[in-house]
């Protein structure tokens, strides 16, 4: 138990130790990427467990996000509201490389274990903090969830149909853009530390990580009449490319986009409408944009008579950029992602047979890290507190009784 | 010209040199984060310039994404289809830390400057490659744009109204999740290199970077009847929380979400409907979920009589998680993001007065990096080829004539 064999020595973060106070998605995704890259991630929860665990109350399946994001981590409990809990935490921090948290701003300071305290204990420490709006500024204390960040950051105002209400993106993009940036920030600070020997406070605000995704829309905003609608359904954000849409088929929907003229010529031939290529109404992207409704109608007249399978095969062989709109079930069974090892079927003791993802970060010539299920609550408390803090079994019993772990 | 004064010495990536072949969004966003963290990023374009520049043909404003993502980089041209161009490229690579590209798979190998070649020249090199589907597997050569990745990855099938068609997320989330992961992968490999001394091939596929954002939806998929619709408009992906929606006000829309019962109690009091708190139809989240339409109707009956400003102030003071659905214009003028320095008004020589973003990665106690506009085409060719490859002015003239630069 004293060694950590999972960390194959040739994984990029082998030897790195992370104290993970992350909750729900943003923090845990950052430390998920660390664990999968070979770091020893010690997830620290209150004795009640982090809130994402309680989703099992809805149903077992709702635990899946927790299982996804906490794979290959170790789990301990520590009550940071007790002085002995904080003492043990400080002991862990003194020999760690990274502490990461996504509490509301100020929580760690109020507990007396904020950055200014921890850096004294460990000057090489990277302290990473993630919030919705940041740890400074007038909106710092705004209550931030993925939904509210999607609202304030402009995502909703540019998603959905032009004649419909603003619409959220279905997936939790603010949480995960936040989490990826958080991981990125920690790695950057580690690169710096290798040069300077010093730790750093790293900060990420979800609101800020979302902004760059608006790039195309910002271009259109500055370039066109600013009063024009920037909510364009499945059409191009600037209504500047045609065809660019999602079209109905016999048994589903397909996205088609013609970025270059040869894409359009290939599509026209595929549709058995070579006449369109020289038709002044459709001969250039500019003319197709002027006749966008008609262009889309022509394509849908064709796609609506085809099966998804036929459409996919035909557009692929003719090199027309296209993709089926896949259901979640199709995504989970995607042969390509399974072949590449991004997705894996596992038999989980509680969830049954489910798909778990690996890390999207791929490093050539590394050993494969075996997936280890997320820790049950407090699973590794004994091992970690014994190995890293010298807590005896007798003391552990006492700590449990006192509610410290 | 021989020194690079922009790289304030205390920025985390000071001293790092990056050869950037990135195009459009995914690659350039990764190197944007590097440039803003203090690296010397040398953007290498073909003599025609990368495709994102040609958007100026639509209108000047459409250049904004290029300007956003290439700020603080240097720009040179090199024709990699000429042997002299490749020779100069190899010279740059021999002394660089990172080479990054997001061409289609195999392009660099066909040019004779793929990873296997470059690693011989520079064993410490990090080579980063980003694609839509990855550099292996059956779908490797699929044509990938943000739209098609949103289709195949499941994003579209869970975005939009339950009775409407699948819908894309308006922002380019696949490009930017891809770009952020790409940056993250490079930093990870640099952390490893500090320990091992060896470079690494780092790979990122947009399709894979998008998958984790489905976490909540995957939980619902596994937990509930798999035939249920996973497209829930602005409601919770699992229809398991209420209130959770976007509501109409007198002058816009507002997102409101009650994660805890005290949020709901505060909202009911704010609506001057304290009777709802004990009403069996609304007393618990479970009962509100069963009466979701009615719950939403009650809230919208209230919000629709309020102005956005009033709603924001009231929900904030009562600690109800809430946010206005902001327009792009409001986002660009957000006082909080300007106060924090994430957004800056600049007077751009071509675009006029526009907002440019800084990096969402924040490192405490670093000097502020002055924004330097994206390079004009070939702006730094002379400086860089002279300083790093010893090319004389006379030879540069000749290279220009021969179409090498």
């Amino acid at each position: 138990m004293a060694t950590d064999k999972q960390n194959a020595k040739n994984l990029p973060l082998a030897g790195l130790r992370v104290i993970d106070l992350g909750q729900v998605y943003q923090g845990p995704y950052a430390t998920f990427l660390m664990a999968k890259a070979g770091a020893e991630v010690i997830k620290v929860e209150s004795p009640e467990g982090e809130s994402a665990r309680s989703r099992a109350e809805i149903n077992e399946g709702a635990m899946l996000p927790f299982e996804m994001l906490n794979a290959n981590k170790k789990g301990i409990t520590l009550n940071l509201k007790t002085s002995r809990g904080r003492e043990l935490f400080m002991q862990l921090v003194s020999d760690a490389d990274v502490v990461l948290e996504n509490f509301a701003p100020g929580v760690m300071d109020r507990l007396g274990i904020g950055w200014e305290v921890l850096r004294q204990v460990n000057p090489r420490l990277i302290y990473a903090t993630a919030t919705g709006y940041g740890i400074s500024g007038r909106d710092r204390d705004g209550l931030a969830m993925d939904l509210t960040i999607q609202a304030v950051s402009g995502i909703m105002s540019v998603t959905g149909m032009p004649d419909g209400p603003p619409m959220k993106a279905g997936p939790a993009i603010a949480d995960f853009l936040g989490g990826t940036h958080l991981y990125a920030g920690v790695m950057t600070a580690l690169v710096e530390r290798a040069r300077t020997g010093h730790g750093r406070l790293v900060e990420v605000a979800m609101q800020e990580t979302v902004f760059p995704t608006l790039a195309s829309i910002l271009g259109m905003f500055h370039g066109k009449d600013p009063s024009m609608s920037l909510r364009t359904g499945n059409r191009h954000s600037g209504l500047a490319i045609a065809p660019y849409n999602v079209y109905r088929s016999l048994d589903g929907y397909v996205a088609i986009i013609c970025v270059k003229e040869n894409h359009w010529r290939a599509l026209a031939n595929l549709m058995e409408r070579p006449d369109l290529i020289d038709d002044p109404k459709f001969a250039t992207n500019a003319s197709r944009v002027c006749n966008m409704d008609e262009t889309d109608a022509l394509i849908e007249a064709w796609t609506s008579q085809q099966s998804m399978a036929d459409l996919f095969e035909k557009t692929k062989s003719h090199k027309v950029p296209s993709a089926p709109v896949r259901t979640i079930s199709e995504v989970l069974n995607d042969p390509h992602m399974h072949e590449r090892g991004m997705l894996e079927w596992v038999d989980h003791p509680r969830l049954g047979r489910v798909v778990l993802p690996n890390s999207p970060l791929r490093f050539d010539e590394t050993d494969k890290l075996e997936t280890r299920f997320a820790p049950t609550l407090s699973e590794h408390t004994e091992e970690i507190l014994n190995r890293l803090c010298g807590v005896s079994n007798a003391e552990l019993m006492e700590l449990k009784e006192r509610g410290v772990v």
Side-chain angles (χ1 to χ4, degrees), chain A residues 61-359:
Chain A
M63 273 293 282
L64 190 88
F66 182 89
E67 290 294 329
M68 265 177 66
L69 298 181
N70 293 291
N72 292 86
K73 299 181 186 175
K74 300 199 163 173
I76 72 170
T77 49
L78 269 189
N79 185 344
L80 297 173
K81 290 175 181 161
T82 65
S83 62
R84 181 67 180 134
R86 287 191 297 272
E87 229 171 74
L88 289 164
F89 180 76
M90 297 291 265
Q91 245 182 298
L92 290 174
V93 169
S94 67
D95 197 31
D97 299 285
V98 178
V99 166
L100 181 145
E101 53 92 0
N102 60 322
F103 295 121
V107 166
M108 292 290 279
D109 289 323
R110 285 196 295 276
L111 286 168
I113 49 175
W115 162 236
E116 294 300 338
V117 175
L118 299 185
R119 71 190 299 186
Q120 307 298 327
V121 174
N122 181 353
R124 288 176 55 82
L125 184 71
I126 313 299
Y127 182 101
T129 178
T131 57
Y133 296 96
I135 56 174
S136 66
R138 66 191 75 190
D139 293 344
R140 170 188 125 119
D141 296 315
L143 297 168
M145 288 95 185
D146 191 84
L147 183 80
T148 53
I149 295 294
Q150 287 204 34
V152 290
S153 64
I155 301 293
M156 283 188 186
S157 71
V158 300
T159 301
M161 297 301 283
D163 53 357
M167 188 64 60
K168 73 174 164 107
I173 60 173
D175 278 324
F176 283 87
L177 277 160
T180 314
H181 279 84
L182 184 60
Y183 174 88
V186 169
M187 292 301 120
T188 310
L190 286 167
V191 171
E192 181 186 34
R193 190 184 73 172
R195 194 181 77 241
T196 65
H198 294 120
R200 190 71 107 171
L201 171 70
V202 176
E203 187 211 337
V204 162
M206 277 198 275
Q207 179 186 37
E208 297 178 351
T209 66
V210 163
F211 183 86
T213 68
L214 297 170
S216 292
I217 291 146
L218 297 171
M220 292 305 145
F221 178 80
H222 280 292
K224 290 204 171 183
D225 173 3
S227 69
M228 72 171 274
S229 173
L230 294 165
R231 193 151 70 234
T232 60
N234 285 316
R235 286 177 164 174
H236 182 251
S237 320
L239 300 179
I241 300 177
Y244 182 120
N245 214 333
V246 172
Y247 304 92
R248 196 183 290 269
S249 78
L250 283 173
D251 52 351
Y253 288 86
V254 62
I256 297 178
I257 164 177
C258 291
V259 189
K260 296 176 182 171
E261 284 307 310
N262 61 330
H263 296 149
W264 167 245
R265 287 192 293 268
L267 180 61
N269 283 322
L270 199 48
M271 290 162 60
E272 296 177 10
R273 291 297 306 270
D275 57 299
L276 297 175
I277 297 171
D278 295 319
D279 185 328
K281 282 168 81 175
F282 308 105
T284 65
N285 182 59
S287 57
R288 290 189 300 275
V289 164
C290 290
N291 299 291
M292 198 177 278
D293 286 340
E294 217 175 322
T295 305
D296 280 342
L298 278 167
I299 295 167
E300 196 160 80
W302 175 68
T303 57
S304 61
Q305 303 303 313
Q306 314 276 322
S307 72
M308 294 292 281
D310 281 354
L311 279 172
F312 184 62
E313 200 187 307
K314 287 177 183 172
T315 52
K316 191 177 172 188
S317 67
H318 281 67
K319 297 198 159 65
V320 177
S322 153
V325 174
R326 286 214 189 115
T327 63
I328 294 302
S329 173
E330 288 167 334
V331 172
L332 287 173
N333 289 284
D334 177 34
H336 176 74
M337 284 203 285
H338 281 277
E339 181 183 345
R340 275 170 55 83
M342 172 63 189
L343 300 184
E344 276 183 338
W345 284 105
V346 298
D347 290 302
H348 189 277
R350 287 178 68 187
L351 299 173
R353 192 157 173 75
V354 293
V355 169
L356 289 181
N358 275 304
S359 172

